[in-house]
Amino acid sequence: MKTLRRMLQLCLLLAPALFSYRAQAQTDRIKDFNQNGWYMYFGDHKLTDKWGIHTEAQLRRHNIVSDPQQFLLRTGVNYNLTNTAMFTLGYGFIETHPYGDFPAAGKFPEHRIYEQLQVKGNIERVGLQHRYRLEQRWIGSAAADTYTYLNRARYMLKATLPLLGTTIDAKEPFLAVYDEIFIGFGNNIQRNIFDQNRAYAAVGFKFNDAATLELGYLNQILQKASGTVFEHNHTLQVSLFYNIDFTGSN
């Protein structure tokens, strides 16, 4: 009882300071709300039983369609470790335009190398995909021909649920959800170690073994380098997945 009493006294002494800090943090935080549209293509193309290539293009628009936000091209080499695990080494180019109430000084480029592991599985009818990604990023300046080097780690968990039957087959709809968290690390990270979080829900349709379409909503919370501005981006996502098997095994 004596120890419990001391703990309660300590909590009472610390409470004003904790509430003051929380209030100050809330006061310092600035929210920037945006409506965006992301229109995307993804392809994993099998060349042999073990090797393949990844192709990807994304057109990201501010105010759904009217204004530019980002343009992204990404490619990579896939290696199938097992039937359920795939490693990818790749490169991405991203061009970002000023948008929102706290825009960048101008458009700027980014060159990115990434290493990725995808692991697939299922729990009864629910398909699961874990994606682990490390990124080495060279971000250009809008004002000068200089680059800043940053590191980032990402983890995504995606689940899919067939709406007809127990598996997602051709000409059938399904539901998809995912959450992905981004963490920055390294010497040049400022106050945004937490980089962003993406929460997503969609309805999908599998046309055939190669083509799948998803139409969904993405809630993106992104912390800018200052650490005080948080973007709350409500985003329409249209995603086409088109995977070609050049081995002819399917």
Side-chain angles (χ1 to χ4, degrees):
M1 289 297 294
K2 189 175 181 180
T3 302
L4 179 59
R5 191 182 306 115
R6 287 180 177 176
M7 291 177 64
L8 289 172
Q9 289 173 346
L10 181 61
C11 289
L12 290 172
L13 288 171
L14 292 176
L18 292 172
F19 281 114
S20 175
Y21 174 81
R22 183 179 178 86
Q24 182 66 30
Q26 292 294 332
T27 301
D28 291 343
R29 180 175 292 188
I30 300 171
K31 294 183 179 180
D32 179 18
F33 294 93
N34 300 287
Q35 291 77 43
N36 302 320
W38 292 4
Y39 308 97
M40 305 180 291
Y41 153 81
F42 304 90
D44 286 307
H45 311 300
K46 195 173 181 181
L47 301 178
T48 70
D49 287 342
K50 289 292 186 180
W51 295 96
I53 58 171
H54 176 77
T55 55
E56 181 178 341
Q58 300 189 27
L59 181 64
R60 299 177 176 178
R61 304 290 292 179
H62 181 51
N63 292 323
I64 309 300
V65 294
S66 61
D67 303 310
Q69 183 195 23
Q70 281 185 325
F71 176 66
L72 182 150
L73 291 173
R74 187 154 39 211
T75 189
V77 177
N78 295 330
Y79 182 76
N80 293 304
L81 300 168
T82 67
N83 290 334
T84 59
M86 182 171 69
F87 176 79
T88 303
L89 173 65
Y91 164 79
F93 171 78
I94 302 92
E95 183 177 75
T96 301
H97 294 254
Y99 69 93
D101 292 335
F102 299 87
K107 70 177 181 180
F108 60 89
E110 176 183 344
H111 299 277
R112 186 184 299 174
I113 302 295
Y114 70 97
E115 303 83 38
Q116 175 177 287
L117 176 65
Q118 293 183 86
V119 180
K120 296 181 179 180
N122 65 282
I123 300 176
E124 295 183 349
R125 296 174 60 208
V126 179
L128 297 175
Q129 179 185 17
H130 302 268
R131 189 177 75 187
Y132 309 86
R133 183 183 291 176
L134 286 175
E135 297 176 331
Q136 298 81 51
R137 309 168 67 201
W138 289 264
I139 300 177
S141 169
D145 189 19
T146 59
Y147 286 82
T148 300
Y149 175 74
L150 300 173
N151 293 292
R152 191 165 66 183
R154 301 167 55 168
Y155 168 68
M156 183 186 78
L157 174 60
K158 183 175 182 179
T160 55
L161 176 67
L163 293 178
L164 301 174
T166 59
T167 59
I168 302 174
D169 298 316
K171 299 182 180 179
E172 290 186 356
F174 61 92
L175 299 178
V177 296
Y178 73 67
D179 192 84
E180 184 173 17
I181 188 168
F182 298 59
I183 301 294
F185 64 95
N187 294 332
N188 292 323
I189 295 296
Q190 299 181 32
R191 297 176 62 189
N192 61 327
I193 294 176
F194 165 78
D195 183 87
Q196 60 179 285
N197 190 82
R198 299 177 182 177
Y200 168 82
V203 61
F205 187 81
K206 184 174 182 178
F207 294 98
N208 49 48
D209 289 339
T212 301
L213 183 70
E214 290 183 12
L215 177 65
Y217 164 75
L218 175 74
N219 184 287
Q220 180 192 37
I221 300 175
L222 185 150
Q223 182 178 199
K224 295 211 166 185
S226 65
T228 58
V229 177
F230 285 75
E231 291 184 8
H232 293 255
N233 297 325
H234 303 286
T235 304
L236 168 69
Q237 280 199 179
V238 181
S239 305
L240 173 65
F241 301 85
Y242 192 74
N243 304 319
I244 304 173
D245 186 352
F246 289 103
T247 67
S249 58
N250 289 340

